[in-house]
Amino acid sequence: CFSQTHDVVHEAVYEYNGQPYLRCFVTLERAVTGKELSQQEREDFWQSVIFYNYIQYALLGPGQSPNNEYWGKSEKAFVEMLEYYMPDYIIVWGARLYNGLPDLGGHALKLNVSDEYTADVWVYPIHGKNIPALKIYHPSMPRGKNWHFWHEVIDKFLNLQEE
C-alpha cells in the first residue's frame, strides 16, 4: 500500500494536469496555505507533510466503506506511525475516517471557528505529547472542496492552544 500511496502523491504533485481524482491534493494544499501555490511551492509543501492512508488495504473504489476487519487491522500501523513521526497536527480527510479512528486514550475538543461552525478535534496522547487530529470534509467531496472555508478552519486548528 505504501508504494501505491507514494505514487499517487507523486503524480498529484509532479504530474498534475487537472485530473479529477487528484484535485483533492490541490484542494488540501490550498486549504492549509490559504492560496494557490506555484509548482515549487507545491513541491515544498508536500515535502513538509506526511500523507498517510489509515486503512492499510485496497478498497474496491472511491466512496467504499472499509469492513470492520480492515479498521481493526489498521490500528497497529497507525499507532506505529504516530510514535515514529510524532506529528504536530493531523488533518483527517472525512467524517467516516475520523469517526473510525481509535481513541488511544485521547480526548475530544470542540474548535470554535465561527458562530456557524465548530470543528471536531481528537487529541492523541503519544509519549507525553498531545497530537490533535482535526476532522474536515474529504477534499474530493462537495462540502470539502471549498478551500477558502477550510483554510479558516485549518488556520485556527494550527494555532490551537489547548488549555
Side-chain angles (χ1 to χ4, degrees), residues 83 86 123-131 162:
E83 291 176 341
M86 298 291 289
V123 180
Y124 289 104
I126 305 295
H127 299 306
K129 179 179 182 178
N130 286 332
I131 304 173
E162 191 174 357

Side-chain angles (χ1 to χ4, degrees), residues 25-79:
F25 293 93
V26 175
T27 299
L28 181 77
E29 68 193 34
R30 291 175 181 176
V32 172
T33 64
K35 65 179 187 171
E36 294 182 27
L37 302 179
S38 69
Q39 181 59 35
Q40 185 60 56
E41 290 171 323
R42 293 186 74 231
E43 293 171 17
D44 292 345
F45 173 83
W46 288 101
Q47 288 294 320
S48 72
V49 300
I50 299 167
F51 182 82
Y52 177 81
N53 279 318
Y54 179 83
I55 298 297
Q56 299 289 299
Y57 304 91
L59 302 178
L60 297 176
Q64 298 294 312
S65 294
N67 64 41
N68 289 339
E69 180 183 4
Y70 288 177
W71 286 105
K73 287 184 172 182
S74 297
E75 183 175 331
K76 182 176 185 253
F78 179 64
V79 171

Side-chain angles (χ1 to χ4, degrees), residues 17-28:
N17 289 310
Q19 301 95 312
Y21 69 98
L22 296 175
R23 284 189 196 134
C24 57
F25 293 93
V26 175
T27 299
L28 181 77

